[in-house]
Amino acid sequence: MLVICEECSKKYNVDETMMRGERARFSCYECGHVIVVVRTVAGAVRESAVNAAGSRTGEAR
């Protein structure tokens, strides 16, 4: 699956079969932004970002 950093637009290929749970989190190698990839029940994948303080952005509450 293709994941794009929301801060610097760096592209990453993430292998879903390597994800242990519903979420995978990693830091962008270019800018350090924390990227969280969330797998949904239907098999579609939603990407959300987490800033360095740990609060979520881009999600409706």
Side-chain angles (χ1 to χ4, degrees):
M1 129 189 54
L2 179 66
V3 178
I4 301 173
C5 177
E6 293 177 341
E7 294 293 319
C8 70
S9 300
K10 172 105 172 118
K11 296 178 184 177
Y12 295 95
N13 285 315
V14 176
D15 185 359
E16 287 183 73
T17 62
M18 300 301 287
M19 292 174 64
R20 294 184 205 158
E22 291 183 15
R23 296 179 179 206
R25 182 175 70 179
F26 63 95
S27 296
C28 176
Y29 292 115
E30 292 292 319
C31 69
H33 183 73
V34 177
I35 302 168
V36 177
V37 180
V38 180
R39 193 181 331 193
T40 61
V41 177
V45 178
R46 177 176 53 100
E47 177 186 346
S48 62
V50 177
N51 65 21
S55 64
R56 295 180 185 173
T57 60
E59 293 184 358
R61 292 185 183 204

